[in-house]
Amino acid sequence: MVIYKEAGISGQWIQLFIFIILSLLHGIISETSRALDIMTKYPLIDGHNDLALQLRIHHHNKLSQLDSHNIPLVATDISRLKAGRVGGQVFAAYVLCTAQDKDAVRLALEQIDVIRRLCTENTELELVTTAEGFNNSINSRKIACLISVEGGHTIDSSLPALRMFYQLGVRSMALTHSCNTPWAESSAKIYQHYQRKNNSLTKFGKAVVSEMNRLGMLVDLSHSSWETAKAVLKHSAAPVIFSHSSAYAICNSTRNVPDSLLLLLKTNGGLIMVNFYSNFVACSNKANVSMVADHLDHIKRVIGAESIGIGADFDGAHGFPQGLDDVSKYPALISELISRGWIEKELAGVLRLNFIRVFRKVEEVRDDMLNTSPSEVEIPILEANNSCRVILTRPVRTESSYRNQKSPLLPIRALAWFIPFFVQLIYY
């Protein structure tokens, strides 16, 4: 009889345990189902993806030799974008800082070319250049592609080069990557390019921002130093974005954004798109979905859910949170946010509506500046400090150079032109 009672008590505990497990599973299944429903209604726009870089590294940009639905050695392909409920992707044309003052412009053009080809040669993708294009892509059941350029060194301090990138479909540019430009400062100290003090955004840097405002290009402050970001936030006439940055209060990496800048971003009307890279999420290579959600929770407390987006940085870094290792896994984060009490309106904003709102405002500023002429500001030669830049003069050949088919090293007329120019540089 005693044995029977003990067995009965044991059975009750087993029943309770099974009930708890089933309740938890039901909650998880319910949250996952809810996340998929919301993401079907509001397909994600991700603010930063470096697939183009990996296409160069692993496949030499030879798209003809790839199945874009199943690309090896990367975190992004069409099949996984669909599984992750991605409706829009900003693809970065990234050029290494080692190309600065060398062939950065050529490399950027090649990366823009491979993104354009990827997004126009696949029927499931659609290249867009406007905020409205993202809405149209939903109707056509395609994944919208927007081109960004990562690193202001790619324009070689040239506003005409910036305008030509715009003509090719570029609608966003990060002012720096991990190196300074002659006119803006990076958050990183890896390279010694253009080191200076107390001038984080030069006069020419402000001209770059103003010209981006006039064109209708998103100014991207991810990778910029905090001082450069602060200067841009005060100068820009249009909202700006951090395309792939997280909260400094949660992980104290200088690539993340402190609360003081978040508050300036709120005033600016801009957007911070949370990065998934483990070292920016957890300040280590050990991160999980919950830690990413902590960043969104913190930013929401400081400036509100309407200022948040997602810019995972897939294929731009090595080491992502467990459960968020490629573009098919976004629903895991949305499920986590649902479990924390985020409502559909907030999630719809984070997924896509906040980005579209900011992009539209950038376009409104552009429209207000329609009567503003293209800027003709040039960076001073001494400020660019680039040995590859030449002073354009009419070539002059002596009689002997015609015979030898070679120009003299420094023609007399060119020297006569250069001396007064050099005197002007010294005194002005």
Side-chain angles (χ1 to χ4, degrees):
M1 187 68 179
V2 173
I3 294 174
Y4 174 78
K5 287 182 178 180
E6 288 178 352
I9 293 172
S10 176
Q12 290 174 353
W13 280 108
I14 291 172
Q15 289 177 345
L16 179 60
F17 177 75
I18 291 172
F19 175 78
I20 292 172
I21 293 297
L22 290 175
S23 297
L24 290 173
L25 287 173
H26 179 268
I28 293 171
I29 293 169
S30 176
E31 288 161 1
T32 301
S33 177
R34 180 68 175 144
L36 292 173
D37 287 343
I38 292 174
M39 295 184 77
T40 300
K41 189 176 179 181
Y42 304 101
L44 170 69
I45 298 173
D46 179 279
H48 191 86
N49 183 291
D50 279 297
L51 174 62
L53 171 66
Q54 301 305 324
L55 292 177
R56 174 179 285 275
I57 291 172
H58 296 297
H59 305 287
H60 308 289
N61 284 357
K62 298 186 184 300
L63 296 183
S64 61
Q65 301 176 10
L66 285 176
D67 175 5
S68 297
H69 293 80
N70 183 21
I71 306 176
L73 305 175
V74 302
T76 308
D77 53 40
I78 293 174
S79 296
R80 282 178 284 179
L81 286 168
K82 288 183 173 181
R85 301 299 196 274
V86 177
Q89 180 63 70
V90 181
F91 286 110
Y94 165 64
V95 175
L96 289 167
C97 279
T98 49
Q100 181 161 215
D101 298 343
K102 296 177 182 177
D103 54 352
V105 178
R106 174 185 65 83
L107 291 169
L109 289 170
E110 291 176 357
Q111 294 307 94
I112 291 168
D113 173 71
V114 78
I115 295 170
R116 287 185 63 92
R117 289 187 58 210
L118 175 72
C119 297
T120 57
E121 295 175 7
N122 290 283
T123 56
E124 293 95 336
L125 305 180
E126 182 174 38
L127 186 65
V128 302
T129 57
T130 65
E132 188 59 29
F134 284 99
N135 288 331
N136 294 338
S137 67
I138 290 183
N139 298 329
S140 61
R141 298 183 179 275
K142 294 185 177 184
I143 300 171
C145 306
L146 192 80
I147 305 174
S148 70
V149 167
E150 189 171 18
H153 60 285
T154 56
I155 66 169
D156 194 19
S157 300
S158 166
L159 297 184
L162 174 70
R163 289 191 284 268
M164 291 303 98
F165 282 177
Y166 181 87
Q167 292 297 324
L168 293 173
V170 176
R171 291 298 181 268
S172 175
M173 184 178 77
L175 300 188
T176 68
H177 191 254
S178 54
C179 52
N180 294 345
T181 67
W183 39 272
E185 185 178 59
S186 169
S187 62
K189 306 299 179 186
I190 300 172
Y191 299 96
Q192 295 303 308
H193 299 91
Y194 303 108
Q195 295 295 320
R196 59 185 178 276
K197 294 181 180 180
N198 303 321
N199 197 6
S200 56
L201 187 70
T202 69
K203 182 179 179 181
F204 183 79
K206 291 178 180 178
V208 171
V209 173
S210 294
E211 188 66 357
M212 292 179 71
N213 290 165
R214 188 192 70 83
L215 288 168
M217 290 179 69
L218 292 154
V219 178
D220 182 1
L221 296 179
S222 283
H223 288 288
S224 291
S225 72
W226 294 352
E227 288 303 313
T228 292
K230 186 186 299 182
V232 172
L233 283 162
K234 291 180 178 178
H235 178 75
S236 178
V240 305
I241 64 170
F242 290 86
S243 69
H244 57 304
S245 297
S246 298
Y248 181 81
I250 304 298
C251 168
N252 60 351
S253 166
T254 55
R255 269 284 282 109
N256 288 337
V257 183
D259 288 357
S260 58
L261 282 180
L262 289 177
L263 292 171
L264 288 176
L265 182 69
K266 177 69 173 180
T267 301
N268 166 266
L271 191 67
I272 176 169
M273 308 185 82
V274 173
N275 194 319
F276 289 3
Y277 176 44
S278 292
N279 282 343
F280 300 156
V281 169
C283 286
S284 73
N285 59 4
K286 301 286 186 181
N288 55 39
V289 177
S290 178
M291 292 176 180
V292 177
D294 289 342
H295 285 264
L296 280 90
D297 274 346
H298 176 79
I299 298 169
K300 177 183 171 182
R301 283 194 296 271
V302 176
I303 58 174
E306 64 275 11
S307 300
I308 307 174
I310 293 173
D313 200 14
F314 284 125
D315 285 316
H318 298 285
F320 286 87
Q322 183 178 2
L324 286 174
D325 49 319
D326 66 44
V327 297
S328 70
K329 304 301 183 1
Y330 292 109
L333 175 61
I334 303 307
S335 295
E336 175 67 20
L337 294 177
I338 290 172
S339 74
R340 295 179 178 214
W342 286 59
I343 62 175
E344 180 173 327
K345 180 180 178 181
E346 294 170 334
L347 294 171
V350 169
L351 286 166
R352 66 182 291 114
L353 299 186
N354 294 342
F355 180 83
I356 291 175
R357 184 193 71 247
V358 169
F359 195 4
R360 278 180 172 154
K361 182 60 180 178
V362 169
E363 292 174 333
E364 288 175 12
V365 172
R366 173 204 64 195
D367 294 343
D368 290 341
M369 299 176 71
L370 282 178
N371 294 326
T372 303
S373 299
S375 174
E376 295 179 345
V377 173
E378 294 183 351
I379 192 168
I381 287 180
L382 291 183
E383 187 176 318
N385 192 26
N386 181 349
S387 61
C388 291
R389 284 178 176 260
V390 298
I391 299 172
L392 298 177
T393 64
R394 182 182 297 277
V396 177
R397 293 183 176 183
T398 64
E399 187 175 342
S400 61
S401 71
Y402 277 104
R403 289 196 300 269
N404 299 328
Q405 294 299 307
K406 293 181 180 179
S407 297
L409 181 62
L410 187 63
I412 299 300
R413 291 185 185 178
L415 181 62
W417 178 90
F418 179 73
I419 288 173
F421 176 77
F422 184 73
V423 170
Q424 283 187 331
L425 287 178
I426 293 174
Y427 287 97
Y428 298 100

